[in-house]
Amino acid sequence: MSSDNVTEAEPVEPSEAAPSKSADNRLIDELVGRAQAEGLQLTGEGGLLQQLTKRLLESALEGEITDHLGYDKHDPAGKNGGNSRNGTRAKTVLTDVGPVETAVPRDREGSFEPRIVKKRQKRLSGVDEMVVSLAAKGLTTGEVQAHLAEVYGAEVSRQTISTITDKVLDGMAEWQNRPLDAVCPVIFIDAVHVKIRDGSVANRPIYVALAVTVEGRRDILGLWAGGEGAKHWMHILTEIKNRGVDDVLMLVCDGLKGLPGAVEAVWPRATVQTCVVHLLRNSFRYAVRQDWEKIARVLKPVYTAATEEAALDRFAEFTDAWGKKYPAIVRLWENAWEEFTPFLRFDTEIRRIVCTTNAIESVNARIRRAVKARGHFPNEQAALKCVYMAIMSLNPTGKGQARWTMRRKTALNAFDITFDGRLSAARQ
C-alpha cells in the first residue's frame, strides 16, 4: 500500500475548482463515452469505477474542507480571512474497486481533519467488510491476500488482514452476552469439531446452541469451546439462564455426557430429547457399511412408533434380528432410551421438530465449510472467531429463514397446548 506523500502547495488554476453537480454528470458521461470508445475496462487499475471513485472521494474531501474553512475554493470571501487552503497531499486508499490515489486537501493551520478518508486511514470501510466476508466463507489470510491482489491489484499484508478480522472479536463478545428471550420452546445443542494446533494437532469441540423462539424464528444463542461433563454444562446453561432464559420446554442434543443432569438443575421443567439422526449415525459406526441400509430399515419402526410401548416392541424385534451380530448397537439404544423416547409422547407436528437436530445442521454445514477450509487453528480463540464469522454470514431475514419460521408455526401451537400454555404466557 502506498504511504501518504505530501506535495508542495501549488497555485490552483480555475479549472481545478470543485465541480458542480452538472459538471460531475458531464464527467460521468465523458468517462462512460470514453469507456465505450476506447474499450476502457470497468474494474481494475485505471478502470472506470476507479476513476469515478477517485472523483467522488476528491469531491467529498473538497466539500469537507469548504465546510471547515467556511468558503468555497477561489471565493474572494476567504481572502485574508485567516486560515486558508494549502495545496494537497497524495494518498492511496484501498477501496472495494481497488487502490485509488486521491488528492487530499490541506489547510495552512493544519486543523483540517477529513472524515471520509481520515488521517492515517488506508482502507475504506467496505474493504474491511469484504475481508471479513471472505474470511467468513472460510478463506485463509493467505487466500484473502491473494484474492485482493488478483482482483483489485492491492497488496495487503497478512497482518493487516488478521487485524481487520480481529475487529469482530468485540462484536463477538457483545453478541455472546446479549439478553435473550425469557422462554425458548426448543434449544438444540450440537458440537462442531475443529483442529487446534497446541503443541500437537488435536480435535476440540465447539458447541453451538440454537433456539426456536416463540415467534418461530431461529436464534443462535452462543458458542462455547472446550470440554464436557456436568460441571461444564452447568456453566454453559447457567450463562444462558443468566442472560434471560427462564424457561425451556425441550432441549435436543446428541447424548452429551452430563448434559441431562445439568438441564434438570437449571430448568427443572425442561424435557431432554436425544437427536434420533445422531443416534442412527452412531449406530452405523458399529456396523459394516453393507449392513447400514438393513439396520436403518429395521430401526425406522422404532423411532416412528405411535407409542413408547410400540417402540419397545419394535426394538425387541431389532434385538432379535441384529443383537447377536451387533450387541454394541443394542447397548447404545438401551443407554439412550430414557432421552430417546420423550418425543414419542407428542403428536407428529412436535416430533417433526424435536426428533432431530436438522434445524441446526444447516448452520453447522456453513461452519464446517469455513473450518475445513482453514485446516487447523493456533488456539481456541482463533477457532471461535472463524465459527462466529461463519454464523454472522448467515442471512437472518432471507427466504430460508422465512420458510424455516413458517414450518414451525403449527408445531408451536401444538407446543403451547402440550406444555400447558407456557408459550402463551411468554407472548403476553
Side-chain angles (χ1 to χ4, degrees):
M1 299 297 296
S2 301
S3 59
D4 294 359
N5 299 312
V6 179
T7 61
E8 296 294 329
E10 297 177 354
V12 182
E13 296 297 330
S15 61
E16 295 177 357
S20 64
K21 182 177 180 181
S22 60
D24 277 341
N25 289 335
R26 286 196 300 272
L27 174 65
I28 293 172
D29 291 340
E30 177 187 338
L31 289 172
V32 172
R34 193 197 321 165
Q36 293 173 340
E38 302 177 7
L40 182 67
Q41 61 185 359
L42 181 64
T43 58
E45 186 175 359
L48 178 60
L49 289 180
Q50 271 194 353
Q51 294 186 39
L52 289 173
T53 302
K54 172 181 172 66
R55 188 62 185 219
L56 287 170
L57 287 175
E58 290 180 347
S59 294
L61 289 166
E62 185 59 38
E64 286 189 9
I65 196 168
T66 295
D67 289 341
H68 178 70
L69 296 176
Y71 64 90
D72 290 327
K73 203 171 188 179
H74 307 302
D75 189 336
K79 189 175 181 180
N80 300 320
N83 196 12
S84 61
R85 285 171 171 79
N86 188 29
T88 62
R89 58 187 174 89
K91 177 170 185 170
T92 300
V93 293
L94 180 59
T95 73
D96 52 8
V97 296
V100 173
E101 185 172 322
T102 60
V104 181
R106 302 181 303 169
D107 64 332
R108 295 196 178 278
E109 293 182 354
S111 57
F112 175 52
E113 295 281 350
R115 294 186 298 275
I116 191 169
V117 183
K118 297 182 175 64
K119 289 182 179 180
R120 294 177 292 279
Q121 182 180 352
K122 299 295 185 181
R123 306 176 306 276
L124 296 189
S125 60
V127 175
D128 288 13
E129 293 168 2
M130 183 197 325
V131 169
V132 171
S133 176
L134 292 171
K137 289 176 172 59
L139 273 68
T140 64
T141 53
E143 290 169 336
V144 174
Q145 182 186 41
H147 176 84
L148 295 176
E150 179 181 353
V151 178
Y152 302 103
E155 296 296 330
V156 182
S157 70
R158 294 191 180 199
Q159 181 57 50
T160 297
I161 293 169
S162 294
T163 300
I164 292 171
T165 56
D166 280 345
K167 291 180 181 178
V168 307
L169 293 177
D170 290 340
M172 177 178 165
E174 183 178 351
W175 171 80
Q176 184 79 23
N177 291 287
R178 73 195 188 282
L180 302 173
D181 292 345
V183 177
C184 288
V186 187
I187 292 180
F188 301 88
I189 294 182
D190 199 9
V192 175
H193 288 86
V194 300
K195 295 184 183 298
I196 302 294
R197 186 181 66 252
D198 184 11
S200 60
V201 177
N203 282 329
R204 303 276 182 83
I206 290 182
Y207 296 104
V208 182
L210 180 149
V212 178
T213 70
V214 292
E215 294 84 15
R217 293 182 295 102
R218 180 178 63 194
D219 186 20
I220 299 174
L221 307 182
L223 302 170
W224 295 268
E228 201 170 336
K231 186 175 180 180
H232 177 72
W233 290 115
M234 276 295 295
H235 170 76
I236 290 177
L237 300 186
T238 301
E239 176 186 321
I240 294 174
K241 184 173 183 179
N242 289 343
R243 289 165 57 195
V245 180
D246 291 325
D247 190 15
V248 174
L249 277 57
M250 298 194 74
L251 189 141
V252 183
C253 62
D254 177 25
L256 297 170
K257 184 179 179 181
L259 181 55
V263 172
E264 184 177 0
V266 177
W267 297 299
R269 295 195 293 172
T271 299
V272 177
Q273 171 66 48
T274 291
C275 171
V276 175
V277 170
H278 282 82
L279 197 54
L280 286 170
R281 289 175 184 168
N282 293 337
S283 299
F284 296 151
R285 292 177 184 175
Y286 298 105
V288 296
R289 182 175 290 272
Q290 55 263 38
D291 288 339
W292 287 5
E293 186 176 349
K294 299 173 185 175
I295 290 172
R297 192 183 305 120
V298 180
L299 283 174
K300 185 175 181 180
V302 178
Y303 61 83
T304 57
T307 63
E308 183 175 352
E309 291 75 14
L312 281 168
D313 292 338
R314 304 291 81 77
F315 184 66
E317 294 172 0
F318 171 83
T319 301
D320 291 340
W322 293 97
K324 189 172 182 179
K325 186 173 183 179
Y326 296 121
I329 298 179
V330 174
R331 287 196 301 272
L332 175 70
W333 281 73
E334 287 175 345
N335 292 336
W337 195 262
E338 186 176 349
E339 283 79 40
F340 156 68
T341 55
F343 82 104
L344 294 174
R345 299 192 293 269
F346 305 128
D347 66 23
T348 305
E349 293 297 335
I350 295 181
R351 288 190 190 190
R352 191 173 297 150
I353 293 181
V354 302
C355 73
T356 174
T357 57
N358 281 348
I360 203 171
E361 284 300 312
S362 60
V363 175
N364 283 350
R366 176 70 65 89
I367 294 171
R368 289 189 182 100
R369 285 199 299 271
V371 168
K372 184 177 180 181
R374 293 294 299 273
H376 55 260
F377 300 89
N379 49 54
E380 287 182 345
Q381 183 75 345
L384 283 168
K385 182 176 76 170
C386 176
V387 173
Y388 170 73
M389 288 191 296
I391 287 173
M392 291 300 105
S393 69
L394 296 168
N395 185 357
T397 59
K399 292 182 179 179
Q401 174 73 297
R403 288 194 298 269
W404 200 91
T405 300
M406 288 302 298
R407 285 198 296 265
R408 280 148 184 81
K409 288 290 186 181
T410 304
L412 288 175
N413 292 333
F415 259 92
D416 198 29
I417 296 170
T418 303
F419 288 93
D420 301 323
R422 284 153 68 184
L423 290 188
S424 296
R427 294 189 182 106
Q428 294 174 358

